[in-house]
Structures are given as structure tokens and as C-alpha cells.
Amino acid sequence: QVQLVESGGGLVQAGGSLRLSCAASGLMISRYATGWFRQAPGKEREFVAAIDWSGGSTYYADSVKGRFTISRDTAKNTVYLQMNSLKPEDTAVYYCAARYRLGSSSPHDYLYWGQGTQVTVSS
């Protein structure tokens, strides 16, 4: 059974940092692309970042480029999202997702999802 468990969310002031973690079980992230998405109240789920199965390619939404970094530790089977220079508009529930091999910015391409972790950025 595949499980993705996010952690690391919380309340932070604008300009601050958080690191989200996504611990995977039931699949090996070395064979799967993993992505981070977010959903704010009343809005659709949007792409944030992704890393492909090899770890050699990363993808970012324009709104987070230069501020967020996706990485992974295959030994821990965990994917991370380092978020710096946070803004109030980054406030959302952040979800980790996985799909086989290649990264994608479309949530519809991902088969496995975590339960989400809340990130709130105060101004």
C-alpha cells in the first residue's frame, strides 16, 4: 500500500522559511517522479514543484522560482520542499504526489497523493 505523508507545515511570518517533508512508503522515489502542489481556499490545486525519477530534472512554477527548492533523499525515501522568502500568497495546503518516472505540472497525471500539510504565512 502506497502512502505519502507530509510534514513540516505551520505558521510563519512573511520572509520566513519552512521545509516540508514527504515520506513515502510502498514505492521507491528513485523510480517515481514526485511533485508538490498547493491549494488555497476557494482555488484550484496548483503545481508548485516536481522532481523526476532520476533526480536529474526539477521543475518549478514561475511563482516560486528562486524561492523554493525541491530535493530528495533516496536513502530515506523522502522528498523535501525548502521554502524561503515566504509570502502571504503562499498560504495553502501543500500536497505531495507521485507518478511513475517523469515529472508533470498537471495534478491529473499523479496517481498517489498525501493528505496535505497547512502552510500559513502572516503579513
Side-chain angles (χ1 to χ4, degrees):
Q1 181 181 357
V2 174
Q3 278 194 312
L4 301 175
V5 180
E6 302 97 333
S7 61
L11 173 64
V12 64
Q13 288 189 331
S17 298
L18 282 174
R19 188 177 82 155
L20 305 183
S21 299
C22 172
S25 60
L27 62 79
M28 297 173 63
I29 62 170
S30 57
R31 296 181 182 176
Y32 283 76
T34 46
W36 287 95
F37 293 80
R38 66 187 182 187
Q39 189 166 19
K43 294 189 176 181
E44 292 188 352
R45 192 166 298 189
E46 66 171 359
F47 171 72
V48 176
I51 185 167
D52 74 2
W53 67 277
S54 70
S57 296
T58 55
Y59 314 87
Y60 296 94
D62 288 342
S63 59
V64 306
K65 271 180 191 173
R67 300 188 298 124
F68 291 11
T69 303
I70 189 170
S71 63
R72 67 182 196 173
D73 185 335
T74 53
K76 295 182 178 180
N77 216 32
T78 299
V79 181
Y80 303 99
L81 185 68
Q82 178 66 44
M83 307 187 294
N84 299 329
S85 303
L86 282 160
K87 305 175 181 180
E89 51 263 44
D90 294 318
T91 295
V93 176
Y94 283 70
Y95 297 91
C96 174
R99 71 184 299 256
Y100 190 61
R101 302 285 282 188
L102 298 178
S104 170
S105 62
S106 171
H108 302 292
D109 289 338
Y110 288 80
L111 181 60
Y112 303 108
W113 290 86
Q115 82 289 349
T117 185
Q118 176 71 48
V119 171
T120 303
V121 184
S122 63
S123 57

